[in-house]
Amino acid sequence: MTMILQLGGQGRPRPGLRCHRGTPPTLRRLLRNSKWGFCPPRSSFLDTGATSGARHGAGRHHRRGILSETPVMPSPFPSLLGGAAGIHAADQVAMAALPLTVVIGLGAGAEMVGLLLAVQAAAWLLCSMPAGVLVDRAPRRTALLLAGALNVAGLGLAFAGSRAGLPPLLGLGVFAASAGVVLYVLAAGSAVPDLVPREQMPGANARLELCRAVVTLLAAPVVGGLAAAGWLHAAYGLATILAALGLAALSRLPRRAAEARADRPALMTQLREGARFVLDQPLLRGIGLCAIFWNMGFFALLAAFVPFALSSLALEPGRVGLVQGGYGAGLLAGAALAPWCIRRLGPNAVLVIGPGVSVLAPVLLSVAPAQGLALPVAAQFLLGFGPMMWLVCQVSIRQAVTPRAMLGRVGATLQVAIYGVRPLGALLGGSLAGMSPAWGIALAGALFLASTAAVLGSRLVALRAIPLQSASVPRAMAP
């Protein structure tokens, strides 16, 4: 048994014994009740405050054995990463399969692509605010498991709809699956500040986004290969299996100990608090305005790209999936480089680069030759690279300046701005693409330019480091 010195209640050192998490329960109780030992209860999921800080410090000096100098707390982060990989993989497979399913499987045109993409994106508009309140009220493990279950159920419906050739059932399943992703993103983002110190939040957020980038890189070529082999309907079956694996990973999260909760304000009061905080916080205002324009442009391009690639670029379905894989490669590179770029260049530069490089994507697509792959792949890469760095940076800023009790609602308010405008972008892009796919691509370029101007016109350009304080209105950040 390892002897150590502990500080007693009066600050005097005393000998003691610390137990490892593998210590048998009987010995744990004996040490906990003994004046010579210290054996804390097993940690619960996402404790906050001093307990969270103790957990981070405890893991750095771990030594194997039944007893060690510091208690080792089980980390839920690997399970959170596993859930991110499964849920994002399923979401990206479904997103890549939807335009191809509509155009090839159902024989519909760009208008139907835009309509179903709008249905998919409507979940972000309609479900974000209720999901944000749920994240702030319910245990985060419960919210994460509910998100995974909803994702699995929705993709199962989408699979049935694609097999039966029923667009309404396909749309219902896509909506439900997207609602699960909404809830997962909010719950996972709210969990990160409880798991890592603030200076490490960009790295933690980058690891979560790196999972999404890796699966996005693989999703589009896989779906393109299924389409080329005539097995396009199997894409939604694959997405359902991936979502189930993500749910299984989330189920390994430890249960959080029950805690007393103060009386909560009414639902509408809580929603107003989150929205008011975003409107009063100058950094979050700039982030939201940039996101509105960029996401409108991205979904306009998404609705127009497949018709543009099949007609103007004369690409086969398998090559369309290959080109879309460039987007995943950009996400991967952006997530890997984001922490380094934030440290070296500063958040202000990263927040300008993100939407700025997106402006080049429609230009590259418009000058690409027929059946050429290099320029379309480069365009998709830029759409993933810059915005991924922007995403990691803005999430870290949001987590730093937002009180933890409001993270769910503030994240939901921004998600309404970020994703709620996607149906409008998809409908506009699909309508213009129905007349000429090049017009939908041009609309995306104009909206990307507006998103860059939104950053340049905000206080984000003066932000040289991730904020360290959390306040309702951080005046210290004013330039």
Side-chain angles (χ1 to χ4, degrees), residues 339-436:
W340 182 87
C341 290
I342 292 171
R343 289 195 306 269
R344 289 301 186 96
L345 304 179
N348 49 0
V350 172
L351 292 171
V352 173
I353 290 172
V357 299
S358 301
V359 179
L360 299 176
V363 176
L364 293 177
L365 289 175
S366 64
V367 300
Q371 297 184 343
L373 291 180
L375 292 182
V377 169
Q380 291 286 341
F381 179 88
L382 292 177
L383 285 174
F385 177 73
M388 171 57 79
M389 292 201 302
W390 181 92
L391 178 61
V392 171
C393 188
Q394 71 92 357
V395 168
S396 302
I397 293 171
R398 183 186 76 207
Q399 292 166 341
V401 302
T402 305
R404 294 190 181 183
M406 297 179 64
L407 278 169
R409 286 165 287 160
V410 168
T413 302
L414 282 174
Q415 278 194 176
V416 169
I418 292 173
Y419 298 102
V421 296
R422 286 183 170 186
L424 179 59
L427 290 173
L428 289 175
S431 298
L432 289 177
M435 295 181 286
S436 172

Side-chain angles (χ1 to χ4, degrees), residues 76-380:
F77 204 75
S79 297
L80 198 63
L81 286 174
I87 289 179
H88 285 311
D91 183 51
Q92 292 302 317
V93 168
M95 183 175 291
L98 183 58
L100 292 173
T101 299
V102 173
V103 175
I104 299 175
L106 303 181
E111 294 85 354
M112 180 60 70
V113 173
L115 179 61
L116 286 179
L117 285 174
V119 169
Q120 182 185 44
W124 296 87
L125 176 63
L126 299 178
C127 301
S128 287
M129 298 304 289
V133 174
L134 176 63
V135 168
D136 285 344
R137 289 190 171 199
R140 288 186 180 123
R141 182 180 188 272
T142 301
L144 288 166
L145 290 178
L146 179 60
L150 187 58
N151 192 236
V152 172
L155 290 171
L157 287 176
F159 176 64
S162 65
R163 289 284 296 174
L166 298 175
L169 185 59
L170 175 61
L172 178 62
V174 163
F175 180 89
S178 296
V181 178
V182 171
L183 181 55
Y184 172 78
V185 169
L186 285 174
S190 299
V192 169
D194 291 333
L195 295 175
V196 298
R198 285 187 182 171
E199 62 271 15
Q200 297 179 15
M201 286 194 298
N205 291 321
R207 290 178 66 188
L208 287 173
E209 293 300 332
L210 196 59
C211 287
R212 183 166 73 95
V214 170
V215 299
T216 302
L217 178 64
L218 299 176
V222 168
V223 172
L226 290 174
W231 298 341
L232 183 57
H233 296 309
Y236 281 104
L238 174 62
T240 305
I241 295 173
L242 292 170
L245 292 175
L247 178 60
L250 294 175
S251 68
R252 296 176 61 86
L253 292 169
R255 298 181 183 274
R256 184 173 185 175
E259 60 181 22
R261 294 182 179 269
D263 293 337
R264 302 187 184 94
L267 175 62
M268 292 307 299
T269 301
Q270 288 190 295
L271 292 175
R272 284 194 295 268
E273 287 176 354
R276 189 182 305 116
F277 184 86
V278 173
L279 293 175
D280 290 341
Q281 168 39 260
L283 301 178
L284 298 184
R285 279 203 311 270
I287 287 171
L289 188 59
C290 171
I292 287 174
F293 288 116
W294 191 89
N295 278 270
M296 285 181 63
F298 179 74
F299 259 63
L301 187 142
L302 192 62
F305 176 74
V306 169
F308 181 82
L310 294 176
S311 60
S312 300
L313 298 181
L315 296 178
E316 299 175 354
R319 284 176 164 257
V320 172
L322 182 63
V323 168
Q324 289 176 321
Y327 175 71
L331 292 178
L332 185 63
L337 293 177
W340 182 87
C341 290
I342 292 171
R343 289 195 306 269
R344 289 301 186 96
L345 304 179
N348 49 0
V350 172
L351 292 171
V352 173
I353 290 172
V357 299
S358 301
V359 179
L360 299 176
V363 176
L364 293 177
L365 289 175
S366 64
V367 300
Q371 297 184 343
L373 291 180
L375 292 182
V377 169
Q380 291 286 341

